[in-house]
Amino acid sequence: MENIVLPTKNTWCPGCGNFGIQKAITNIVSEIGKEKTVLVSGVGCHGKMADYLDINSFYSLHGRAIASGQGVKMGNEELNVICSVGDGDAYEEGMAHLIHAAKRDADITVIVHNNRVFALTINQATSTSPKGFISNSTPQGKTEEAINPLKIMLAVGAGFVARGYVGKIDHLSRIIKQGVEHKGFSFIEILQPCVAWHNTFADYNERVYELEKEFLPLQEAEEKVKEWDYNNMESKIALGVFYKK
Amino acid sequence: MKDFQIIIGGEAGEGSKKAGMIIANFFNVYGFNVFIHEDYQSLIKGGHNFSSISVSERKVDGVREEVDFVLALNEDTIFKHKNKIKKEGGVLIYDENCTDKDFSAEGFKVVKVPLMEIVKKVEGINLMKNTALVSSFAKIIGLKWEVIEEVLGKELKVELEKNIEVAKLAFQETETVKEVEAVGEKKGELISGNEAVALGAVDAGLECFFAYPMTPATGILRFFVNYDKVKTFQPENEISVANMVLGAGYTGKRTMTGTSGGGFALMTEALSLSAQSETPFVVALSQRMGPASGVPTYQGQGDLLFALNAGHGDMMRFVVAPGDADDAYYLTGEALNTAWKYQLPSIIILDKEISENTYTFKKEKQVEKREALLAENNADYDRYDGEDISPMAFPGGEAVVKATSYEHDKKGVVTEDAEAIKKMQEKRIRKYEKLRQEVEEMETVRVTGSGSVAVVFWGSTKGAVLEAVKDLEIKAIQVLIMEPFSKKQMKEALVGVEKIISIETNATGQLSKVLQCNGFKVDEEILKYNGRPFSVDELEEKLKDL
Ligand SMILES: Cc1ncc(C[n+]2csc(CCOP(=O)(O)OP(=O)(O)O)c2C)c(N)n1
Ligand code: SF4
Ligand SMILES: [Mg+2]
């Protein structure tokens, strides 16, 4: 495998879930080739991916990677566009772009580094932080319910909806690759514990399991994504491709 | 008689704009310069819309207050405009059935045409009233039937035969009042400023156009959705638009957008990204009356300082300010070529009047695409190499192309190192210096006439100003390029000038402030900020005693 990790000084915390995603992207790029691949990243800890890999990249603004990414695809349809975005990035600042890209079936792959916290700005709650989450912006505990992004993606008609986990890199690499190969919009949420502000490794390790089927029919997928609602750590957490058109 | 002023008006939905366009075409065929100012409201049905048409042997792109002909599709139009009709030689033409009032004692000539009856006779639809009206008008001024047929054929896309029938009947039922003779060959095509922008962009190699609708820039989007060779797309909002433009630019595709102040406000973060990532970005910013939603379909020039300052950080840009369709065509070409040569944002600042008015477009200078500085697409490529302009490569080949919103090293990887930061800032400043030098070779100001008093103006006020000063000893100075601003050319333009007056359609004198910043003191300001453009007469009145 070609080494595509740049010698840039890496400033992710030791043990950060982003390392797993970096490994998965490296795996995929070595399979699909780097010439025709562009990584478009948002701004946050996740965005640094662009600085750490020796591949084409457009390091966009906070929340805007999905918009830039669609521009890249319209500019050159031969390119594989992978948007590395954060939860603050895509579910807060740039939510409209995510929903519309899914709805219009833009041929890009969105991977959400969901650490369920604004990490780079030092620990504030996002819309996928669990209810009750204590952070710098919610010292008394978050009062709002968490959203379930997979539900939203299915509701707006996304054609490929999956969830991966940085603790299962081979599985994660496989589903990202399927997302890249899927013609049309693909959405992959990645459970990415943030060891500094929201360390969910132990909980995830205990609860995650892989879906048996390659993917599910829409109605079944709609049921399945409700299994875990992001507010608690009581249920099991399914990984894999929930739905594929 | 070689100059005419015509008003044609009706309710929204009655097709007065189309009718105005048809009349403009008649005169275009007869070799006149034609200019149409559109006045309409932000509504779909009802209200009052009208077109003011200036017809002249010379280039006249402004409107006079006294008119020769008023063509009314409804009663409201008669009452709104009859006081402007010349008592001597003026004519009011209207639908017989639209009013029972009598206008015969007003002094001007009155021609009543049974428009509705004519339409009914051939079983046409109500909208065809406007066809009957323009045909009657053509007969009144003694135009040839063939011209009417030719123009209707060009302008009407549906139910042409029925319309021709309507026109024929109206033509037969009207008497000629005065003969207008042709004055020569066609002087140019009739196009709006928005269309001129689109044509200039196409000739400069435009490949993609992304936009979200906003008056008065929507006409550019309308042009491109009907133009196959440019990929056109309307995303969810202007933030998306601007970031998509940059994404497509990163792949090497010449891309632009068009919007008004509100949409441009949403694009400002991306504007700054264009500067930092050195990704070309082109926007046509068509101003309307602000602030905020303001008066959507009315004139304003309140966004100049915003255009010059929008975007955070020390960022460089190129800003052009066309004054009519010919300027818009040419300067859009310059904006696109410059954005790609210098890899920065270009803003074409327009206003409602230029965007939506119709001009006789002569294409005085042909726009050509100028190639950007390109690098070989090989493995040792660094995106931000070099002392000023870094040669571009695009993703898809051996080169790894890294563009970024963060300060970066030559490879395009983030840096926080003091030396490296300073170096990159200075690289961009050197690039701007180069641009500044090139701008000196361009026409940044245009001088007409001479005198110790100078009027300085920008944008669509050009038409009325040039007409108003033509017999006065006043030097007229139009600013064409706002940024980089050429002090040298302005200084030369002002040689022998003792008094500077700025003329603008805004409330705070934004061009004066730009001049002030560049060391030129404006002595007086003529400002208008009621959403209407200057008429020729009102400027003549203000300028004649100076
Ligand atoms: C327009 C804008 N608003 C705010 C910020 C500040 N900011 C930088 S990163 C960040 C949060 C990132 O959170 P997330 O997207 O979840 O990424 P993470 O750091 O968790 O990977 C914010 C708010 C910014 N850069 N731009
Ligand atoms: S703060 Fe969290 S997300 Fe950011 S590098 Fe550290 S562990 Fe990773
Ligand atoms: Mg986050």
Side-chain angles (χ1 to χ4, degrees):
Chain A
M1 195 191 294
E2 188 190 354
N3 178 23
I4 58 163
V5 177
L6 283 170
T8 320
K9 185 171 165 9
N10 190 305
T11 56
W12 283 328
C13 306
C16 171
N18 280 317
F19 286 104
I21 302 177
Q22 184 182 28
K23 183 76 180 48
I25 294 177
T26 309
N27 288 343
I28 294 149
V29 171
S30 73
E31 284 184 49
I32 64 174
K34 72 178 194 179
E35 286 196 5
K36 297 277 183 265
T37 303
V38 176
L39 181 82
V40 184
S41 69
V43 165
C45 291
H46 65 276
K48 298 182 179 186
M49 193 68 78
D51 283 330
Y52 299 158
L53 293 178
D54 190 19
I55 59 175
N56 297 313
S57 61
F58 188 89
Y59 199 155
S60 185
L61 298 165
H62 182 50
R64 311 304 167 199
I66 295 171
S68 314
Q70 289 172 84
V72 172
K73 189 72 189 182
M74 279 191 281
N76 184 349
E77 281 168 17
E78 282 182 16
L79 299 172
N80 295 305
V81 176
I82 302 174
C83 297
S84 248
V85 299
D87 51 325
D89 206 54
Y91 302 152
E92 310 271 337
E93 191 80 291
M95 183 59 130
H97 309 313
L98 175 65
I99 287 179
H100 283 269
K103 176 213 72 182
R104 69 172 67 104
D105 203 22
D107 192 8
I108 59 173
T109 303
V110 172
I111 61 177
V112 185
H113 302 216
N114 192 359
N115 49 13
R116 304 167 65 204
V117 68
F118 287 105
L120 189 59
T121 43
I122 311 189
N123 190 17
Q124 295 87 12
T126 68
S127 52
T128 48
S129 308
K131 189 172 180 180
F133 182 63
I134 294 185
S135 74
N136 283 333
S137 61
T138 53
Q140 315 295 332
K142 186 183 163 194
T143 54
E144 295 171 34
E145 299 274 327
I147 59 163
N148 180 337
L150 277 68
K151 245 164 99 174
I152 295 174
M153 285 294 96
L154 287 175
V156 300
F160 183 102
V161 177
R163 183 192 284 140
Y165 172 44
V166 297
K168 288 177 172 285
I169 290 174
D170 288 344
H171 177 260
L172 177 63
S173 307
R174 254 191 338 268
I175 62 169
I176 299 180
K177 179 143 182 278
Q178 282 176 49
V180 172
E181 283 164 356
H182 174 76
K183 187 100 193 79
F185 183 78
S186 22
F187 171 83
I188 297 144
E189 166 158 282
I190 305 172
L191 300 176
Q192 177 242 315
C194 162
V195 294
W197 319 120
H198 197 184
N199 192 345
T200 43
F201 268 122
D203 281 323
Y204 288 155
N205 283 340
E206 205 176 294
R207 288 174 172 80
V208 294
Y209 71 100
E210 290 177 29
L211 291 170
E212 274 169 24
K213 293 195 189 146
E214 201 190 331
F215 54 88
L216 309 173
L218 184 58
Q219 266 184 334
E220 231 177 279
E222 282 168 347
E223 275 312 304
K224 197 74 203 169
V225 299
K226 290 184 200 156
E227 182 180 33
W228 176 54
D229 86 344
Y230 290 76
N231 282 307
N232 59 55
M233 279 292 184
E234 283 149 23
S235 66
K236 293 244 158 231
I237 301 174
L239 304 176
V241 181
F242 287 77
Y243 175 65
K244 190 173 155 189
K245 209 164 50 176
Chain B
M1 191 176 180
K2 296 288 194 234
D3 280 69
F4 313 97
Q5 195 66 57
I6 304 157
I7 284 178
I8 177 159
E11 258 184 41
E14 281 190 317
S16 66
K17 181 175 181 205
K18 188 78 203 176
M21 197 62 203
I22 291 171
I23 292 172
N25 270 279
F26 293 158
F27 289 106
N28 182 241
V29 173
Y30 267 53
F32 288 91
N33 183 89
V34 191
F35 166 75
I36 316 176
H37 153 70
E38 305 289 354
D39 188 306
Y40 71 103
Q41 297 151 320
S42 188
L43 45 77
I44 309 299
K45 280 276 178 214
H48 174 60
N49 291 357
F50 67 95
S51 306
S52 284
I53 308 169
S54 304
V55 179
S56 175
E57 269 188 285
R58 296 169 297 111
K59 179 172 164 66
V60 178
D61 296 334
V63 164
R64 287 202 175 263
E65 279 162 23
E66 273 204 323
V67 297
D68 300 282
F69 301 94
V70 167
L71 282 62
L73 284 161
N74 65 353
E75 188 182 40
D76 193 31
T77 303
I78 304 177
F79 283 99
K80 284 220 155 74
H81 302 288
K82 71 180 171 60
N83 292 340
K84 301 174 194 160
I85 304 175
K86 291 179 184 160
K87 302 285 180 226
E88 197 71 24
V91 186
L92 168 69
I93 307 155
Y94 65 94
D95 181 10
E96 196 173 75
N97 296 320
C98 82
T99 178
D100 44 21
K101 307 268 173 6
D102 179 38
F103 304 100
S104 55
E106 302 260 0
F108 44 73
K109 186 168 173 58
V110 176
V111 179
K112 293 189 257 186
V113 192
L115 298 180
M116 224 30 235
E117 270 164 46
I118 290 170
V119 170
K120 282 201 187 114
K121 242 183 237 171
V122 303
E123 289 168 4
I125 54 165
N126 286 2
L127 189 60
M128 292 177 184
K129 254 183 7 184
N130 61 9
T131 306
L133 184 60
V134 297
S135 184
S136 284
F137 171 69
K139 183 69 174 292
I140 287 169
I141 58 169
L143 301 190
K144 293 202 231 22
W145 169 251
E146 298 76 65
V147 175
I148 300 167
E149 222 174 359
E150 176 194 327
V151 169
L152 291 181
K154 177 184 156 224
E155 285 295 308
L156 299 178
K157 300 283 173 262
V158 286
E159 295 250 34
L160 179 59
E161 275 175 33
K162 260 270 136 72
N163 274 295
I164 297 271
E165 269 185 75
V166 169
K168 200 166 240 164
L169 215 55
F171 196 75
Q172 284 159 3
E173 298 207 358
T174 316
E175 305 269 315
T176 297
V177 174
K178 51 178 129 191
E179 288 290 326
V180 171
E181 306 269 326
V183 294
E185 294 292 303
K186 239 189 200 189
K187 287 201 167 62
E189 292 303 312
L190 296 181
I191 64 170
S192 68
N194 277 342
E195 287 164 337
V197 165
L199 294 174
V202 166
D203 286 350
L206 189 77
E207 289 158 288
C208 304
F209 184 82
F210 307 147
Y212 189 84
M214 187 166 189
T215 306
T218 315
I220 310 174
L221 176 60
R222 201 177 318 124
F223 177 97
F224 283 118
V225 292
N226 295 310
Y227 188 84
D228 291 343
K229 285 183 221 135
V230 169
K231 191 180 271 188
T232 305
F233 188 67
Q234 176 193 308
E236 61 277 12
N237 55 41
E238 289 88 347
I239 298 177
S240 190
V241 166
N243 286 285
M244 281 185 186
V245 168
L246 293 173
Y250 164 75
T251 69
K253 293 291 180 322
R254 293 197 173 195
T255 307
M256 78 177 271
T257 182
T259 186
S260 190
F264 182 69
L266 295 179
M267 294 181 181
T268 52
E269 195 190 11
L271 203 70
S272 185
L273 172 57
S274 160
Q276 174 68 286
S277 66
E278 303 195 43
T279 311
F281 179 86
V282 182
V283 55
L285 161 58
S286 182
Q287 305 160 96
R288 63 195 214 186
M289 186 100 204
S293 300
V295 197
T297 61
Y298 284 91
Q299 168 69 0
Q301 292 182 311
D303 301 346
L304 178 58
L305 295 175
F306 182 36
L308 291 172
N309 294 289
H312 54 291
D314 287 314
M315 54 168 287
M316 324 302 172
R317 73 200 73 206
F318 182 59
V319 182
V320 296
D324 59 19
D326 269 281
D327 288 350
Y329 167 78
Y330 188 71
L331 289 174
T332 300
E334 291 295 82
L336 221 76
N337 280 322
T338 302
W340 279 81
K341 176 163 182 187
Y342 293 94
Q343 306 170 29
L344 42 64
S346 275
I347 302 169
I348 303 138
I349 187 161
L350 307 161
D351 55 49
K352 188 267 168 190
E353 294 296 316
I354 301 180
S355 276
E356 299 197 332
N357 289 346
T358 298
Y359 295 85
T360 306
F361 171 58
K362 302 181 186 72
K363 208 193 248 194
E364 280 150 358
K365 288 188 256 181
Q366 176 68 40
V367 169
E368 311 274 356
K369 175 179 174 180
R370 299 195 289 268
E371 278 310 331
L373 184 61
L374 299 180
E376 299 237 359
N377 195 306
N378 52 35
D380 53 15
Y381 178 70
D382 285 325
R383 174 66 188 88
Y384 300 103
D385 203 9
E387 288 303 299
D388 37 53
I389 302 173
S390 305
M392 284 189 285
F394 308 115
E398 274 180 37
V400 168
V401 184
K402 298 185 90 63
T404 171
S405 67
Y406 281 93
E407 193 56 275
H408 43 265
D409 62 14
K410 70 176 184 177
K411 170 103 187 154
V413 170
V414 70
T415 184
E416 289 173 343
D417 174 78
E419 263 311 301
I421 295 169
K422 184 161 174 276
K423 209 171 136 199
M424 270 300 156
Q425 289 278 10
E426 287 171 355
K427 175 181 113 70
R428 291 191 293 270
I429 288 169
R430 273 194 299 273
K431 188 175 78 164
Y432 176 73
E433 262 317 299
K434 247 189 167 162
L435 168 62
R436 230 176 42 75
Q437 281 164 24
E438 185 173 338
V439 162
E440 288 299 346
E441 308 300 311
M442 300 178 182
E443 185 184 24
T444 67
V445 297
R446 189 182 293 150
V447 179
T448 314
S450 60
S452 60
V453 173
V455 289
V456 188
F457 56 92
W458 62 292
S460 69
T461 52
K462 172 183 183 178
V465 172
L466 291 185
E467 186 59 14
V469 301
K470 81 175 186 310
D471 298 324
L472 302 174
E473 257 185 49
I474 288 181
K475 189 181 258 190
I477 304 173
Q478 180 191 3
V479 182
L480 294 162
I481 297 178
M482 290 286 180
E483 173 60 33
F485 189 92
S486 170
K487 289 187 200 181
K488 185 164 157 269
Q489 289 190 33
M490 183 53 85
K491 208 177 222 160
E492 281 165 16
L494 288 170
V495 168
V497 169
E498 283 152 25
K499 182 174 184 173
I500 304 176
I501 302 169
S502 82
I503 303 181
E504 305 181 62
T505 44
N506 60 43
T508 55
Q510 302 202 4
L511 177 61
S512 306
K513 295 202 170 76
V514 172
L515 290 172
Q516 228 103 23
C517 281
N518 284 288
F520 304 100
K521 192 179 161 302
V522 171
D523 302 289
E524 228 176 85
E525 291 175 335
I526 300 179
L527 304 177
K528 186 169 182 178
Y529 37 86
N530 63 356
R532 273 54 178 183
F534 286 104
S535 72
V536 176
D537 317 65
E538 95 186 279
L539 286 179
E540 274 174 354
E541 192 56 36
K542 291 204 156 86
L543 296 174
K544 71 173 197 277
D545 298 324
L546 290 166

